[in-house]
Amino acid sequence: MKTILLNNRPQGKPTTSNFEFVTEDTELAIKDGEILLEAAYVSVDPYLRGRMSDAKSYVPPFQLNEPVQSGVIAKVTATKNDNFKEGDYVSGLLNWQTQQVSNGEGLNKVDGTKAPLSAFLGILGMTGLTAYLGLNEIGKPKAGETIVVSGAAGAVGSVVGQIAKILGLNVIGIAGTDEKIDMLKSKFGFDAGINYNTNKDINAEIKKLAPNGVDIYFDNVGGPISDAVLFNINRFARIIICGAISVYNETETPKSVSVQPFLVKNSALMQGFIVSNYADKFPGAMQQLATWLGEGKLTYIETIVDGFDNIPSAFIDLFDGKNKGKMIVKI
């Protein structure tokens, strides 16, 4: 059995030295009410960086010398719990371990005959729910409006753009390579894209692509990109703060424009969220996502890395934008 522990807290961008691998020969035994799980797929996500710092947040920080956790798809290999049978696949927040024991609480069964197992970490999991609920509950989109999505080639952003197109919006995506911009338009149906690495005036480019202004901004990155969008928001615009990957590794307080004048002048709403805020809406949202996926109205892309030992490096690669869509490690 292999386990990945948080060895020390990152200063700035994480490195592989922040993690420790532990290998044990012991066979895990289960008691009544427990199940034995074998990891199949592990999700790596930008928000994990926040849990690696010893700072107050919406979830407790990871403890040093304890296993890191994230979304995992695992196979039930032994059971003494009547709710699970051998061969079931489940998803949930689990340790970065090849095997582990669980009492089954917080785990959901997933059906690999309905969609590939990895999809339940992405478009049919927290990724899809985050995109759907953030856009609808805060953005309240209306057909004909214009939305800008940053981090648009990532797991959440690519789904947000597709849902917005289904709902009849004009969709502009911001990403970091021409290849990703092409993908946004050809695979995900975005109307336009902006490469933030080659475009030196994002403000002007948004103004050109959205001459009537921006009604909704779905923000996954923060920083200067988001500053540029603020200059283009419309009256009663809705700004959805899902993430801020551009500043997660900053060791000093980032400098940014003051948002208050933009919000006041435009009577605009800016709201941050975490997907669990809308837990009561998960079943309906999941049903809608599954329906759209089955109808071919939604598609997705994954960057799948092979091997348990590559989980830390796959996580670190997120901060260099090496993923297209959802980053997943196949065990």
Side-chain angles (χ1 to χ4, degrees), residues 147-295:
I147 182 173
V148 172
V149 184
S150 60
V156 172
S158 59
V159 181
V160 169
Q162 291 179 81
I163 296 173
K165 285 304 299 179
I166 291 171
L167 299 178
L169 278 72
N170 176 49
V171 182
I172 300 167
I174 303 175
T177 68
D178 287 342
E179 182 186 9
K180 287 181 177 180
I181 297 301
D182 289 342
M183 178 186 71
L184 291 179
K185 293 188 285 189
S186 63
K187 185 174 179 68
F188 298 125
F190 283 57
D191 296 288
I194 300 170
N195 180 343
Y196 65 80
N197 277 316
T198 57
N199 196 297
K200 300 307 178 189
D201 192 343
I202 297 173
N203 177 356
E205 188 66 14
I206 294 172
K207 201 176 300 291
K208 184 173 80 175
L209 295 174
N212 296 319
V214 174
D215 300 293
I216 304 173
Y217 174 42
F218 198 104
D219 185 10
N220 289 298
V221 303
I225 290 171
S226 296
D227 294 346
V229 180
L230 284 172
F231 284 94
N232 293 277
I233 60 171
N234 281 335
R235 187 166 170 78
F236 302 121
R238 288 82 73 200
I239 301 164
I240 306 159
I241 310 298
C242 181
I245 192 171
S246 73
V247 298
Y248 285 163
N249 295 322
E250 295 290 339
T251 55
E252 298 179 1
T253 303
K255 292 181 173 60
S256 185
V257 301
S258 177
V259 301
Q260 288 89 339
F262 296 96
L263 302 182
V264 171
K265 182 173 68 174
N266 295 289
S267 299
L269 169 76
M270 175 183 280
Q271 182 177 335
F273 79 103
I274 54 173
V275 69
S276 58
N277 295 349
Y278 306 108
D280 61 319
K281 299 181 183 293
F282 283 6
M286 187 67 75
Q287 182 59 51
Q288 182 63 79
L289 290 164
T291 298
W292 281 336
L293 188 64
E295 293 172 347

Side-chain angles (χ1 to χ4, degrees), residues 9-329:
R9 301 197 184 279
Q11 301 297 314
K13 181 181 169 185
T15 69
T16 53
S17 66
N18 297 130
F19 304 93
E20 180 184 358
F21 286 80
V22 176
T23 302
E24 300 172 274
D25 277 338
T26 53
E27 284 195 22
L28 296 176
I30 56 173
K31 299 179 291 199
D32 286 344
E34 293 181 336
I35 54 177
L36 182 63
L37 298 173
E38 184 176 272
Y41 294 92
V42 174
S43 173
V44 292
D45 307 279
Y47 84 89
L48 298 173
R49 174 62 183 84
R51 294 196 67 190
M52 291 174 186
S53 298
D54 190 11
K56 181 183 176 183
S57 187
Y58 56 86
V59 285
F62 293 126
Q63 297 301 303
L64 293 178
N65 305 310
E66 294 290 334
V68 182
Q69 296 177 325
S70 68
V72 175
I73 301 291
K75 183 179 182 180
V76 177
T77 56
T79 178
K80 291 185 179 179
N81 183 318
D82 293 339
N83 295 319
F84 301 90
K85 65 180 187 297
E86 210 171 297
D88 282 346
Y89 281 92
V90 298
S91 69
L93 186 66
L94 294 167
N95 293 340
W96 286 2
Q97 290 181 285
T98 51
Q99 290 184 306
Q100 58 198 289
V101 173
S102 170
N103 61 10
E105 290 182 12
L107 299 181
N108 296 303
K109 292 182 187 179
V110 296
D111 186 351
T113 65
K114 301 276 181 69
L117 288 170
S118 57
F120 293 93
L121 290 175
I123 199 162
L124 294 179
M126 285 299 148
T127 296
L129 291 171
T130 299
Y132 181 91
L133 291 166
L135 177 59
N136 283 289
E137 295 299 317
I138 302 173
K140 304 192 183 306
K142 296 184 279 291
E145 291 188 320
T146 292
I147 182 173
V148 172
V149 184
S150 60
V156 172
S158 59
V159 181
V160 169
Q162 291 179 81
I163 296 173
K165 285 304 299 179
I166 291 171
L167 299 178
L169 278 72
N170 176 49
V171 182
I172 300 167
I174 303 175
T177 68
D178 287 342
E179 182 186 9
K180 287 181 177 180
I181 297 301
D182 289 342
M183 178 186 71
L184 291 179
K185 293 188 285 189
S186 63
K187 185 174 179 68
F188 298 125
F190 283 57
D191 296 288
I194 300 170
N195 180 343
Y196 65 80
N197 277 316
T198 57
N199 196 297
K200 300 307 178 189
D201 192 343
I202 297 173
N203 177 356
E205 188 66 14
I206 294 172
K207 201 176 300 291
K208 184 173 80 175
L209 295 174
N212 296 319
V214 174
D215 300 293
I216 304 173
Y217 174 42
F218 198 104
D219 185 10
N220 289 298
V221 303
I225 290 171
S226 296
D227 294 346
V229 180
L230 284 172
F231 284 94
N232 293 277
I233 60 171
N234 281 335
R235 187 166 170 78
F236 302 121
R238 288 82 73 200
I239 301 164
I240 306 159
I241 310 298
C242 181
I245 192 171
S246 73
V247 298
Y248 285 163
N249 295 322
E250 295 290 339
T251 55
E252 298 179 1
T253 303
K255 292 181 173 60
S256 185
V257 301
S258 177
V259 301
Q260 288 89 339
F262 296 96
L263 302 182
V264 171
K265 182 173 68 174
N266 295 289
S267 299
L269 169 76
M270 175 183 280
Q271 182 177 335
F273 79 103
I274 54 173
V275 69
S276 58
N277 295 349
Y278 306 108
D280 61 319
K281 299 181 183 293
F282 283 6
M286 187 67 75
Q287 182 59 51
Q288 182 63 79
L289 290 164
T291 298
W292 281 336
L293 188 64
E295 293 172 347
K297 293 179 179 178
L298 282 181
T299 188
Y300 63 97
I301 192 167
E302 300 169 322
T303 300
I304 296 186
V305 175
D306 282 315
F308 182 84
D309 292 353
N310 291 320
I311 295 174
S313 58
F315 166 68
I316 293 164
D317 282 348
L318 290 170
F319 299 98
D320 292 323
K322 293 185 179 179
N323 60 305
K324 293 176 188 169
K326 182 72 177 173
M327 179 79 94
I328 293 173
V329 180

